[in-house]
C-alpha cells in the first residue's frame, strides 16, 4: 500500500513568485504597438504579433556568453523579457553531435545532429517554447496554462506546469499515440481528447483563450512562445564555436521553428557573434501533411490547408500559422523544402539510430529522410556543413520505428543455442 498522496488532476494552490517583465508586442502587419499582453493577434488587423526588442540594449560578447550557465537563458538579451526567468531555468543546451558516417553517406563535408531528443524535461524541442511562454504566463498573472497540441507540446506544458505547481488544461486530437497521451497524463493536468484534427483543436483553443483567463501557450502567449525556438539556433552557433554551418535541415509543423532558426541566425550575424553567411534553411514535412512544402515549391500566394493523413502526428498541422514566414526563411536563404513518404520515415529513424546512436521520433525520421533526398537532388554539395535538427524522442513513437524491424530470436537459456546463433551470423 502506497503512502504517496495522489491529487490528480493537479490543482494544488499556486505559488506566487516574482516574474520577469515581458517585452511589449507590436503587429508585424500594421506596426501597431500592442504593449506587453497575452494576446493572440493584432486587434486592429489580425496580424501576427512579435516582441519589440530595444535596439539600443547592450549585447554580451562571446566571452561573456560563454561565462553563463548552459541553458536557453544564456541568450537572454534575445529572449522577450527584462529580468531573470523564474520558471523552467534548466531548459536547453542539448548536445550537438558530429556524425561522420552520415556526412559520408550524404556526400557532404560534415554533419552534426542537434539532439533535442534529449531535451529536458520532456524530450522534445517544445520544452524551449514552453519555457518562454510559462514565464510570460507567470508575469501576466495567468495561473492556469494550457495548449493545443499534436503531442510533444502537451508533454512539455504538462511537465513544466507540474514543476511550477500550475493547473493545466491540455487539448489534443483524440487519436494521438499512447506514449504521448500517457507522457502527458502522468503529470496530472486536465487532459482533453478532442474528436477532430489538430486544426479543430486549435480553433477550439482560440475560443477558450477568449472565454477563460488562461495562458494558452501557442495561442494568446504565441508571441512569447515562438521566441523560445530561437535558442536552438543560438546553441548551434555557440556549439560550433561561433561559426555558421552552411545548411540546416529542420522539420515543420506550424512553421515556427524554421522561421525562428532564421531569426536566430540573423540576430547573431547582426550582433557580430557569428562568422560567415546565414545558413541555407531546409524545411521537411511528411507527404501526408505537407502544406508548407507545397507552398514553398509553388508560386501560390497563400498556403492551401490540408487534411492530415500521416503517421507523423507531431507534424500533422494542416493549416500552419507560420507558413508565410517559414517560406520567407527558406527561400530567403536559398534553401528548399521536401516532403517525405511515410514508408521512408521508419528508414530515416533507423538510419539515424544506426549511424549515431540517437533514437528519434517520426519528425526526426522525416528530417533524416529529407536530408538523403536533398543530397540526391544535388541540393547538398561536397563542401556543405550540415546540421540536422532532431526535435523529438523515439520512445514516444515506438510503433513507427517497429516497422520493418525483424523480431529478435527467442532461445532456451543454453550455451549451445547462442553458439548456433553466432555460427549463423558468420
Ligand atoms: C512541434 C514540433 C516541430 C515543429 O514545430 P513548428 O510548429 O513548425 O515550430 C518539429 N518537431 C517536433 C518533434 C515537434 O513536436
Ligand atoms: Zn495589426
Amino acid at each position: 500500500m502506497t503512502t504517496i498522496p495522489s491529487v490528480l488532476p493537479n490543482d494544488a494552490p499556486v505559488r506566487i513568485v516574482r516574474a520577469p517583465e515581458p517585452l511589449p508586442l507590436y503587429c508585424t502587419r500594421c506596426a501597431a504597438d500592442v504593449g506587453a499582453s497575452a494576446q493572440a493577434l493584432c486587434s486592429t488587423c489580425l496580424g501576427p504579433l512579435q516582441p519589440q526588442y530595444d535596439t539600443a540594449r547592450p549585447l554580451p560578447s562571446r566571452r561573456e556568453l560563454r561565462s553563463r550557465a548552459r541553458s536557453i537563458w544564456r541568450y537572454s538579451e534575445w529572449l522577450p523579457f527584462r529580468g531573470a526567468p523564474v520558471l523552467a531555468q534548466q531548459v536547453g543546451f542539448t548536445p550537438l553531435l558530429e556524425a561522420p558516417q552520415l556526412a559520408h553517406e550524404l556526400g557532404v563535408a560534415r554533419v552534426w545532429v542537434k539532439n533535442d531528443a534529449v531535451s529536458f524535461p520532456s524530450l522534445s524541442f517544445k520544452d524551449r517554447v514552453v519555457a518562454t511562454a510559462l514565464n510570460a504566463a507567470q508575469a501576466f498573472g495567468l495561473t492556469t496554462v494550457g495548449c493545443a497540441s499534436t503531442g510533444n507540446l502537451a508533454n512539455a506544458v504538462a511537465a513544466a506546469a507540474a514543476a511550477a505547481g500550475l493547473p493545466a488544461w491540455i487539448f489534443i486530437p483524440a487519436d494521438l499515440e499512447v506514449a504521448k497521451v500517457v507522457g502527458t497524463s502522468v503529470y496530472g493536468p486536465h487532459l482533453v481528447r478532442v474528436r477532430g484534427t489538430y486544426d479543430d483543436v486549435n480553433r477550439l483553443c482560440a475560443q477558450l483563450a477568449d472565454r477563460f483567463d488562461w495562458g494558452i501557450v501557442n495561442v494568446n502567449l504565441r508571441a512569447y512562445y515562438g521566441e523560445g525556438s530561437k535558442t536552438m539556433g543560438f546553441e548551434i552557433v555557440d556549439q560550433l564555436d561561433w561559426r555558421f554551418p552552411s545548411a540546416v535541415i529542420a522539420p515543420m509543423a506550424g512553421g515556427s521553428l524554421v522561421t525562428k532558426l532564421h531569426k536566430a541566425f540573423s540576430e547573431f550575424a547582426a550582433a557580430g557573434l557569428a562568422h560567415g553567411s546565414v545558413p541555407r534553411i531546409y524545411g521537411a514535412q511528411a507527404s501526408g501533411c505537407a502544406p508548407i512544402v507545397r507552398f514553398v515549391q509553388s508560386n501560390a500566394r497563400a498556403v492551401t490547408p490540408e487534411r492530415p493523413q500521416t503517421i507523423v502526428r507531431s507534424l500533422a498541422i494542416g493549416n500552419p500559422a507560420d507558413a508565410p514566414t517559414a517560406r520567407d526563411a527558406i527561400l530567403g536563404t536559398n534553401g528548399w523544402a521536401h516532403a517525405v513518404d511515410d514508408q521512408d520515415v521508419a528508414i530515416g529513424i533507423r538510419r539515424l539510430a544506426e549511424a549515431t546512436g540517437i533514437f528519434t521520433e517520426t519528425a526526426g525520421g522525416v528530417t533524416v529522410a529529407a536530408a538523403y533526398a536533398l543530397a540526391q537532388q544535388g541540393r547538398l554539395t561536397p563542401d556543405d556543413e550540415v546540421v540536422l535538427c532532431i526535435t523529438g524522442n523515439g520512445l514516444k513513437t515506438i510503433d513507427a520505428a517497429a516497422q520493418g524491424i525483424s523480431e529478435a530470436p527467442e532461445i532456451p537459456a543454453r550455451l549451445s543455442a547462442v553458439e548456433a546463433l553466432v555460427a549463423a551470423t558468420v
Side-chain angles (χ1 to χ4, degrees), residues 17-22 72-73 81 83-89 129-141 145 166 221 224:
V17 279
R18 245 167 68 95
E21 185 192 339
I72 64 167
W73 304 106
F81 302 97
V86 291
L87 302 175
Q89 277 119 324
V129 288
V130 169
T132 48
L134 249 65
N135 278 283
Q138 191 84 26
F140 295 134
V145 296
L166 300 172
L221 296 174
Y224 299 100

PDB file of all heavy atoms in Angstrom, residues 17-22 72-73 81 83-89 129-141 145 166 221 224:
ATOM      1  N   VAL A  17       5.490  33.834  -7.416  1.00  0.00           N
ATOM      2  CA  VAL A  17       6.905  34.203  -7.471  1.00  0.00           C
ATOM      3  C   VAL A  17       7.040  35.446  -8.342  1.00  0.00           C
ATOM      4  O   VAL A  17       6.167  35.740  -9.149  1.00  0.00           O
ATOM      5  CB  VAL A  17       7.765  33.065  -8.048  1.00  0.00           C
ATOM      6  CG1 VAL A  17       8.065  32.037  -6.991  1.00  0.00           C
ATOM      7  CG2 VAL A  17       7.081  32.429  -9.247  1.00  0.00           C
ATOM      8  N   ARG A  18       8.152  36.174  -8.166  1.00  0.00           N
ATOM      9  CA  ARG A  18       8.351  37.389  -8.954  1.00  0.00           C
ATOM     10  C   ARG A  18       8.780  37.030 -10.360  1.00  0.00           C
ATOM     11  O   ARG A  18       9.823  36.424 -10.565  1.00  0.00           O
ATOM     12  CB  ARG A  18       9.405  38.265  -8.296  1.00  0.00           C
ATOM     13  CG  ARG A  18       8.841  39.581  -7.793  1.00  0.00           C
ATOM     14  CD  ARG A  18       9.854  40.244  -6.884  1.00  0.00           C
ATOM     15  NE  ARG A  18      11.023  40.665  -7.657  1.00  0.00           N
ATOM     16  CZ  ARG A  18      11.171  41.878  -8.152  1.00  0.00           C
ATOM     17  NH1 ARG A  18      10.237  42.788  -7.968  1.00  0.00           N
ATOM     18  NH2 ARG A  18      12.251  42.207  -8.835  1.00  0.00           N
ATOM     19  N   ALA A  19       7.964  37.397 -11.319  1.00  0.00           N
ATOM     20  CA  ALA A  19       8.235  37.012 -12.704  1.00  0.00           C
ATOM     21  C   ALA A  19       9.058  38.086 -13.395  1.00  0.00           C
ATOM     22  O   ALA A  19       9.048  39.243 -12.986  1.00  0.00           O
ATOM     23  CB  ALA A  19       6.911  36.819 -13.431  1.00  0.00           C
ATOM     24  N   PRO A  20       9.776  37.718 -14.478  1.00  0.00           N
ATOM     25  CA  PRO A  20      10.453  38.733 -15.278  1.00  0.00           C
ATOM     26  C   PRO A  20       9.406  39.564 -16.026  1.00  0.00           C
ATOM     27  O   PRO A  20       8.254  39.155 -16.146  1.00  0.00           O
ATOM     28  CB  PRO A  20      11.295  37.916 -16.254  1.00  0.00           C
ATOM     29  CG  PRO A  20      10.572  36.619 -16.390  1.00  0.00           C
ATOM     30  CD  PRO A  20       9.903  36.376 -15.059  1.00  0.00           C
ATOM     31  N   GLU A  21       9.821  40.725 -16.502  1.00  0.00           N
ATOM     32  CA  GLU A  21       8.874  41.621 -17.186  1.00  0.00           C
ATOM     33  C   GLU A  21       8.875  41.331 -18.694  1.00  0.00           C
ATOM     34  O   GLU A  21       9.899  41.491 -19.359  1.00  0.00           O
ATOM     35  CB  GLU A  21       9.335  43.062 -16.921  1.00  0.00           C
ATOM     36  CG  GLU A  21       8.420  44.126 -17.433  1.00  0.00           C
ATOM     37  CD  GLU A  21       9.108  45.503 -17.381  1.00  0.00           C
ATOM     38  OE1 GLU A  21      10.074  45.664 -16.610  1.00  0.00           O
ATOM     39  OE2 GLU A  21       8.669  46.399 -18.136  1.00  0.00           O
ATOM     40  N   PRO A  22       7.743  40.905 -19.246  1.00  0.00           N
ATOM     41  CA  PRO A  22       7.710  40.611 -20.681  1.00  0.00           C
ATOM     42  C   PRO A  22       7.873  41.887 -21.500  1.00  0.00           C
ATOM     43  O   PRO A  22       7.412  42.957 -21.096  1.00  0.00           O
ATOM     44  CB  PRO A  22       6.313  40.015 -20.908  1.00  0.00           C
ATOM     45  CG  PRO A  22       5.826  39.629 -19.549  1.00  0.00           C
ATOM     46  CD  PRO A  22       6.475  40.588 -18.585  1.00  0.00           C
ATOM     47  N   ILE A  72      18.867  27.797 -22.091  1.00  0.00           N
ATOM     48  CA  ILE A  72      18.389  28.764 -23.092  1.00  0.00           C
ATOM     49  C   ILE A  72      18.553  30.197 -22.596  1.00  0.00           C
ATOM     50  O   ILE A  72      18.638  31.130 -23.390  1.00  0.00           O
ATOM     51  CB  ILE A  72      16.910  28.532 -23.472  1.00  0.00           C
ATOM     52  CG1 ILE A  72      15.977  28.756 -22.284  1.00  0.00           C
ATOM     53  CG2 ILE A  72      16.700  27.157 -24.069  1.00  0.00           C
ATOM     54  CD1 ILE A  72      14.494  28.850 -22.681  1.00  0.00           C
ATOM     55  N   TRP A  73      18.622  30.380 -21.270  1.00  0.00           N
ATOM     56  CA  TRP A  73      18.661  31.734 -20.692  1.00  0.00           C
ATOM     57  C   TRP A  73      20.028  32.374 -20.853  1.00  0.00           C
ATOM     58  O   TRP A  73      20.204  33.563 -20.597  1.00  0.00           O
ATOM     59  CB  TRP A  73      18.205  31.695 -19.241  1.00  0.00           C
ATOM     60  CG  TRP A  73      16.840  31.089 -19.148  1.00  0.00           C
ATOM     61  CD1 TRP A  73      16.519  29.831 -18.694  1.00  0.00           C
ATOM     62  CD2 TRP A  73      15.599  31.665 -19.590  1.00  0.00           C
ATOM     63  NE1 TRP A  73      15.170  29.609 -18.822  1.00  0.00           N
ATOM     64  CE2 TRP A  73      14.575  30.718 -19.365  1.00  0.00           C
ATOM     65  CE3 TRP A  73      15.252  32.902 -20.157  1.00  0.00           C
ATOM     66  CZ2 TRP A  73      13.237  30.956 -19.682  1.00  0.00           C
ATOM     67  CZ3 TRP A  73      13.928  33.141 -20.468  1.00  0.00           C
ATOM     68  CH2 TRP A  73      12.943  32.172 -20.224  1.00  0.00           C
ATOM     69  N   PHE A  81      12.098  39.161 -22.451  1.00  0.00           N
ATOM     70  CA  PHE A  81      11.884  39.572 -21.064  1.00  0.00           C
ATOM     71  C   PHE A  81      12.956  40.540 -20.612  1.00  0.00           C
ATOM     72  O   PHE A  81      14.076  40.503 -21.125  1.00  0.00           O
ATOM     73  CB  PHE A  81      11.943  38.344 -20.129  1.00  0.00           C
ATOM     74  CG  PHE A  81      10.949  37.276 -20.473  1.00  0.00           C
ATOM     75  CD1 PHE A  81      11.330  36.178 -21.238  1.00  0.00           C
ATOM     76  CD2 PHE A  81       9.626  37.383 -20.076  1.00  0.00           C
ATOM     77  CE1 PHE A  81      10.423  35.199 -21.587  1.00  0.00           C
ATOM     78  CE2 PHE A  81       8.704  36.401 -20.420  1.00  0.00           C
ATOM     79  CZ  PHE A  81       9.102  35.310 -21.177  1.00  0.00           C
ATOM     80  N   GLY A  83      14.745  40.984 -16.975  1.00  0.00           N
ATOM     81  CA  GLY A  83      14.809  40.311 -15.682  1.00  0.00           C
ATOM     82  C   GLY A  83      14.971  38.808 -15.866  1.00  0.00           C
ATOM     83  O   GLY A  83      14.787  38.280 -16.960  1.00  0.00           O
ATOM     84  N   ALA A  84      15.297  38.152 -14.762  1.00  0.00           N
ATOM     85  CA  ALA A  84      15.632  36.729 -14.821  1.00  0.00           C
ATOM     86  C   ALA A  84      14.368  35.867 -14.815  1.00  0.00           C
ATOM     87  O   ALA A  84      13.360  36.241 -14.214  1.00  0.00           O
ATOM     88  CB  ALA A  84      16.508  36.373 -13.630  1.00  0.00           C
ATOM     89  N   PRO A  85      14.426  34.718 -15.499  1.00  0.00           N
ATOM     90  CA  PRO A  85      13.273  33.812 -15.511  1.00  0.00           C
ATOM     91  C   PRO A  85      13.049  33.213 -14.128  1.00  0.00           C
ATOM     92  O   PRO A  85      13.999  33.059 -13.357  1.00  0.00           O
ATOM     93  CB  PRO A  85      13.701  32.719 -16.488  1.00  0.00           C
ATOM     94  CG  PRO A  85      15.195  32.693 -16.370  1.00  0.00           C
ATOM     95  CD  PRO A  85      15.595  34.132 -16.166  1.00  0.00           C
ATOM     96  N   VAL A  86      11.795  32.900 -13.830  1.00  0.00           N
ATOM     97  CA  VAL A  86      11.507  32.255 -12.543  1.00  0.00           C
ATOM     98  C   VAL A  86      11.110  30.799 -12.728  1.00  0.00           C
ATOM     99  O   VAL A  86      11.109  30.021 -11.790  1.00  0.00           O
ATOM    100  CB  VAL A  86      10.391  32.998 -11.780  1.00  0.00           C
ATOM    101  CG1 VAL A  86      10.882  34.349 -11.311  1.00  0.00           C
ATOM    102  CG2 VAL A  86       9.138  33.143 -12.631  1.00  0.00           C
ATOM    103  N   LEU A  87      10.755  30.430 -13.966  1.00  0.00           N
ATOM    104  CA  LEU A  87      10.351  29.052 -14.253  1.00  0.00           C
ATOM    105  C   LEU A  87      11.254  28.479 -15.337  1.00  0.00           C
ATOM    106  O   LEU A  87      11.855  29.224 -16.109  1.00  0.00           O
ATOM    107  CB  LEU A  87       8.893  29.023 -14.741  1.00  0.00           C
ATOM    108  CG  LEU A  87       7.839  29.604 -13.785  1.00  0.00           C
ATOM    109  CD1 LEU A  87       6.471  29.607 -14.461  1.00  0.00           C
ATOM    110  CD2 LEU A  87       7.800  28.818 -12.491  1.00  0.00           C
ATOM    111  N   ALA A  88      11.309  27.166 -15.402  1.00  0.00           N
ATOM    112  CA  ALA A  88      12.000  26.460 -16.498  1.00  0.00           C
ATOM    113  C   ALA A  88      13.433  26.938 -16.688  1.00  0.00           C
ATOM    114  O   ALA A  88      13.900  27.100 -17.810  1.00  0.00           O
ATOM    115  CB  ALA A  88      11.192  26.603 -17.796  1.00  0.00           C
ATOM    116  N   GLN A  89      14.142  27.136 -15.591  1.00  0.00           N
ATOM    117  CA  GLN A  89      15.519  27.648 -15.694  1.00  0.00           C
ATOM    118  C   GLN A  89      16.500  26.646 -16.308  1.00  0.00           C
ATOM    119  O   GLN A  89      17.543  27.046 -16.792  1.00  0.00           O
ATOM    120  CB  GLN A  89      16.046  28.058 -14.307  1.00  0.00           C
ATOM    121  CG  GLN A  89      15.603  29.447 -13.894  1.00  0.00           C
ATOM    122  CD  GLN A  89      14.777  29.413 -12.631  1.00  0.00           C
ATOM    123  OE1 GLN A  89      14.009  28.476 -12.439  1.00  0.00           O
ATOM    124  NE2 GLN A  89      14.920  30.404 -11.784  1.00  0.00           N
ATOM    125  N   VAL A 129       9.996  26.343 -26.131  1.00  0.00           N
ATOM    126  CA  VAL A 129       8.921  27.326 -26.316  1.00  0.00           C
ATOM    127  C   VAL A 129       8.040  27.421 -25.074  1.00  0.00           C
ATOM    128  O   VAL A 129       7.531  28.492 -24.744  1.00  0.00           O
ATOM    129  CB  VAL A 129       8.080  27.001 -27.576  1.00  0.00           C
ATOM    130  CG1 VAL A 129       8.878  27.316 -28.829  1.00  0.00           C
ATOM    131  CG2 VAL A 129       7.603  25.558 -27.603  1.00  0.00           C
ATOM    132  N   VAL A 130       7.894  26.302 -24.373  1.00  0.00           N
ATOM    133  CA  VAL A 130       7.111  26.320 -23.136  1.00  0.00           C
ATOM    134  C   VAL A 130       7.849  27.121 -22.063  1.00  0.00           C
ATOM    135  O   VAL A 130       7.229  27.813 -21.253  1.00  0.00           O
ATOM    136  CB  VAL A 130       6.800  24.877 -22.677  1.00  0.00           C
ATOM    137  CG1 VAL A 130       6.223  24.862 -21.274  1.00  0.00           C
ATOM    138  CG2 VAL A 130       5.826  24.221 -23.656  1.00  0.00           C
ATOM    139  N   ALA A 131       9.169  27.055 -22.076  1.00  0.00           N
ATOM    140  CA  ALA A 131       9.952  27.805 -21.083  1.00  0.00           C
ATOM    141  C   ALA A 131       9.679  29.302 -21.187  1.00  0.00           C
ATOM    142  O   ALA A 131       9.454  29.973 -20.173  1.00  0.00           O
ATOM    143  CB  ALA A 131      11.442  27.523 -21.274  1.00  0.00           C
ATOM    144  N   THR A 132       9.667  29.832 -22.403  1.00  0.00           N
ATOM    145  CA  THR A 132       9.426  31.276 -22.536  1.00  0.00           C
ATOM    146  C   THR A 132       7.942  31.587 -22.292  1.00  0.00           C
ATOM    147  O   THR A 132       7.611  32.548 -21.602  1.00  0.00           O
ATOM    148  CB  THR A 132       9.881  31.808 -23.907  1.00  0.00           C
ATOM    149  OG1 THR A 132       9.384  30.965 -24.943  1.00  0.00           O
ATOM    150  CG2 THR A 132      11.398  31.859 -23.990  1.00  0.00           C
ATOM    151  N   ALA A 133       7.051  30.753 -22.797  1.00  0.00           N
ATOM    152  CA  ALA A 133       5.608  31.023 -22.632  1.00  0.00           C
ATOM    153  C   ALA A 133       5.191  30.988 -21.163  1.00  0.00           C
ATOM    154  O   ALA A 133       4.383  31.819 -20.722  1.00  0.00           O
ATOM    155  CB  ALA A 133       4.792  30.010 -23.431  1.00  0.00           C
ATOM    156  N   LEU A 134       5.731  30.056 -20.392  1.00  0.00           N
ATOM    157  CA  LEU A 134       5.308  29.953 -18.991  1.00  0.00           C
ATOM    158  C   LEU A 134       5.801  31.127 -18.150  1.00  0.00           C
ATOM    159  O   LEU A 134       5.110  31.569 -17.232  1.00  0.00           O
ATOM    160  CB  LEU A 134       5.736  28.622 -18.375  1.00  0.00           C
ATOM    161  CG  LEU A 134       4.522  27.720 -18.102  1.00  0.00           C
ATOM    162  CD1 LEU A 134       3.848  27.330 -19.393  1.00  0.00           C
ATOM    163  CD2 LEU A 134       4.878  26.520 -17.275  1.00  0.00           C
ATOM    164  N   ASN A 135       6.976  31.645 -18.471  1.00  0.00           N
ATOM    165  CA  ASN A 135       7.436  32.839 -17.760  1.00  0.00           C
ATOM    166  C   ASN A 135       6.546  34.030 -18.091  1.00  0.00           C
ATOM    167  O   ASN A 135       6.267  34.861 -17.221  1.00  0.00           O
ATOM    168  CB  ASN A 135       8.903  33.122 -18.076  1.00  0.00           C
ATOM    169  CG  ASN A 135       9.828  32.274 -17.231  1.00  0.00           C
ATOM    170  OD1 ASN A 135      10.034  32.552 -16.056  1.00  0.00           O
ATOM    171  ND2 ASN A 135      10.342  31.195 -17.806  1.00  0.00           N
ATOM    172  N   ALA A 136       6.068  34.103 -19.344  1.00  0.00           N
ATOM    173  CA  ALA A 136       5.131  35.172 -19.703  1.00  0.00           C
ATOM    174  C   ALA A 136       3.813  34.986 -18.952  1.00  0.00           C
ATOM    175  O   ALA A 136       3.265  35.943 -18.399  1.00  0.00           O
ATOM    176  CB  ALA A 136       4.899  35.176 -21.214  1.00  0.00           C
ATOM    177  N   ALA A 137       3.313  33.764 -18.892  1.00  0.00           N
ATOM    178  CA  ALA A 137       2.058  33.489 -18.171  1.00  0.00           C
ATOM    179  C   ALA A 137       2.169  33.955 -16.722  1.00  0.00           C
ATOM    180  O   ALA A 137       1.278  34.622 -16.187  1.00  0.00           O
ATOM    181  CB  ALA A 137       1.736  31.994 -18.229  1.00  0.00           C
ATOM    182  N   GLN A 138       3.283  33.600 -16.107  1.00  0.00           N
ATOM    183  CA  GLN A 138       3.520  33.966 -14.712  1.00  0.00           C
ATOM    184  C   GLN A 138       3.504  35.493 -14.553  1.00  0.00           C
ATOM    185  O   GLN A 138       2.883  36.020 -13.646  1.00  0.00           O
ATOM    186  CB  GLN A 138       4.882  33.398 -14.290  1.00  0.00           C
ATOM    187  CG  GLN A 138       5.159  33.465 -12.822  1.00  0.00           C
ATOM    188  CD  GLN A 138       4.551  32.287 -12.070  1.00  0.00           C
ATOM    189  OE1 GLN A 138       4.353  31.227 -12.637  1.00  0.00           O
ATOM    190  NE2 GLN A 138       4.237  32.473 -10.808  1.00  0.00           N
ATOM    191  N   ALA A 139       4.150  36.187 -15.464  1.00  0.00           N
ATOM    192  CA  ALA A 139       4.220  37.648 -15.397  1.00  0.00           C
ATOM    193  C   ALA A 139       2.842  38.280 -15.569  1.00  0.00           C
ATOM    194  O   ALA A 139       2.539  39.306 -14.953  1.00  0.00           O
ATOM    195  CB  ALA A 139       5.179  38.169 -16.462  1.00  0.00           C
ATOM    196  N   PHE A 140       2.009  37.688 -16.399  1.00  0.00           N
ATOM    197  CA  PHE A 140       0.672  38.236 -16.645  1.00  0.00           C
ATOM    198  C   PHE A 140      -0.340  37.776 -15.595  1.00  0.00           C
ATOM    199  O   PHE A 140      -1.530  38.083 -15.693  1.00  0.00           O
ATOM    200  CB  PHE A 140       0.178  37.854 -18.044  1.00  0.00           C
ATOM    201  CG  PHE A 140       0.991  38.464 -19.153  1.00  0.00           C
ATOM    202  CD1 PHE A 140       1.401  37.694 -20.235  1.00  0.00           C
ATOM    203  CD2 PHE A 140       1.356  39.810 -19.115  1.00  0.00           C
ATOM    204  CE1 PHE A 140       2.164  38.257 -21.265  1.00  0.00           C
ATOM    205  CE2 PHE A 140       2.114  40.376 -20.138  1.00  0.00           C
ATOM    206  CZ  PHE A 140       2.521  39.596 -21.203  1.00  0.00           C
ATOM    207  N   GLY A 141       0.113  37.017 -14.625  1.00  0.00           N
ATOM    208  CA  GLY A 141      -0.789  36.545 -13.578  1.00  0.00           C
ATOM    209  C   GLY A 141      -1.772  35.491 -14.067  1.00  0.00           C
ATOM    210  O   GLY A 141      -2.823  35.283 -13.457  1.00  0.00           O
ATOM    211  N   VAL A 145      -2.550  27.367 -17.168  1.00  0.00           N
ATOM    212  CA  VAL A 145      -1.965  27.372 -18.501  1.00  0.00           C
ATOM    213  C   VAL A 145      -2.551  26.235 -19.335  1.00  0.00           C
ATOM    214  O   VAL A 145      -3.235  25.359 -18.805  1.00  0.00           O
ATOM    215  CB  VAL A 145      -0.421  27.273 -18.449  1.00  0.00           C
ATOM    216  CG1 VAL A 145       0.164  28.494 -17.773  1.00  0.00           C
ATOM    217  CG2 VAL A 145       0.018  25.990 -17.755  1.00  0.00           C
ATOM    218  N   LEU A 166       1.347  24.748 -11.375  1.00  0.00           N
ATOM    219  CA  LEU A 166       0.226  25.423 -12.038  1.00  0.00           C
ATOM    220  C   LEU A 166      -0.757  24.401 -12.595  1.00  0.00           C
ATOM    221  O   LEU A 166      -0.338  23.413 -13.196  1.00  0.00           O
ATOM    222  CB  LEU A 166       0.728  26.278 -13.208  1.00  0.00           C
ATOM    223  CG  LEU A 166       1.712  27.397 -12.907  1.00  0.00           C
ATOM    224  CD1 LEU A 166       2.244  27.984 -14.206  1.00  0.00           C
ATOM    225  CD2 LEU A 166       1.029  28.483 -12.068  1.00  0.00           C
ATOM    226  N   LEU A 221      -0.301  33.307 -25.868  1.00  0.00           N
ATOM    227  CA  LEU A 221       1.086  33.584 -25.477  1.00  0.00           C
ATOM    228  C   LEU A 221       2.041  33.343 -26.647  1.00  0.00           C
ATOM    229  O   LEU A 221       3.252  33.263 -26.470  1.00  0.00           O
ATOM    230  CB  LEU A 221       1.490  32.715 -24.272  1.00  0.00           C
ATOM    231  CG  LEU A 221       0.700  32.985 -22.987  1.00  0.00           C
ATOM    232  CD1 LEU A 221       1.071  31.971 -21.908  1.00  0.00           C
ATOM    233  CD2 LEU A 221       0.929  34.416 -22.477  1.00  0.00           C
ATOM    234  N   TYR A 224       5.378  35.170 -27.257  1.00  0.00           N
ATOM    235  CA  TYR A 224       6.454  34.850 -26.309  1.00  0.00           C
ATOM    236  C   TYR A 224       6.943  33.420 -26.512  1.00  0.00           C
ATOM    237  O   TYR A 224       8.141  33.127 -26.406  1.00  0.00           O
ATOM    238  CB  TYR A 224       5.966  35.078 -24.871  1.00  0.00           C
ATOM    239  CG  TYR A 224       5.566  36.517 -24.657  1.00  0.00           C
ATOM    240  CD1 TYR A 224       4.220  36.915 -24.691  1.00  0.00           C
ATOM    241  CD2 TYR A 224       6.534  37.509 -24.481  1.00  0.00           C
ATOM    242  CE1 TYR A 224       3.859  38.244 -24.540  1.00  0.00           C
ATOM    243  CE2 TYR A 224       6.188  38.844 -24.326  1.00  0.00           C
ATOM    244  CZ  TYR A 224       4.840  39.203 -24.363  1.00  0.00           C
ATOM    245  OH  TYR A 224       4.495  40.520 -24.228  1.00  0.00           O
TER     246      TYR A 224
END
